[in-house]
Amino acid sequence: MALRALPALAAAGAIILTLTGCAGGTGSDAVVINGQRVSIAEVEKTATAVASSVRGDSVTLRDEQLVVAALVSQSLADGAAQKAGKPITPADRDAALASVPGGTQLQSDPDARPYAEAVGDVVHAQQAFGAEAMAAQQATTRIAVNPRFGTWDTKQMSLVTGTGSLSVPVSTN
């Protein structure tokens, strides 16, 4: 069951990701969302727990990117819920996670819990408020992603991942 849970969790983590504007960050930040910093160390810790729990394997850059994407999605979901006047409760999150294969398993691991909670919030917001409400949240959400994890693409409304390298090749003509 754990091996089958990764695609569902990955899909849930990538649901309707949007942003406008940017926020400052440091080299130790994985992402900054409306001024709230999430460190690379926090993302690595969460991704390691998720990879171990879901696949029983070591963490990859893709696992870390999924965590970053889920955290951004969670911000949009929570913002949409606040605008609707119906903040997401732990009970809402628990019910949503129960519908995601492996969701409750991840929630029981303290190190994987940030990812599980993000996925639960996104699933709940999708069901309760719809994709449009989350997409509308982009107008008031400032997000800056560390290039190690990719870039944010507002047209695709998702995290576009690269190699994970901070080096940018110089083109010569």
Side-chain angles (χ1 to χ4, degrees), residues 82-170:
Q82 290 292 333
K83 280 187 180 173
K86 299 177 182 177
I88 299 171
T89 67
D92 295 332
R93 180 182 299 131
D94 291 346
L97 274 175
S99 72
V100 176
T104 54
Q105 173 188 345
L106 287 173
Q107 190 178 28
S108 67
D109 180 338
D111 291 338
R113 190 171 296 131
Y115 180 76
E117 289 179 353
V119 170
D121 286 2
V122 170
V123 170
H124 174 75
Q126 284 284 318
Q127 294 169 349
F129 312 112
E132 299 81 20
M134 288 180 63
Q137 191 58 33
Q138 73 179 348
T140 58
T141 304
R142 293 174 293 122
I143 300 165
V145 177
N146 184 313
R148 169 182 171 179
F149 302 103
T151 58
W152 205 256
D153 186 323
T154 57
K155 291 180 183 175
Q156 292 184 38
M157 296 178 10
S158 66
L159 182 67
V160 178
T161 59
T163 64
S165 172
L166 293 177
S167 301
V168 178
V170 176

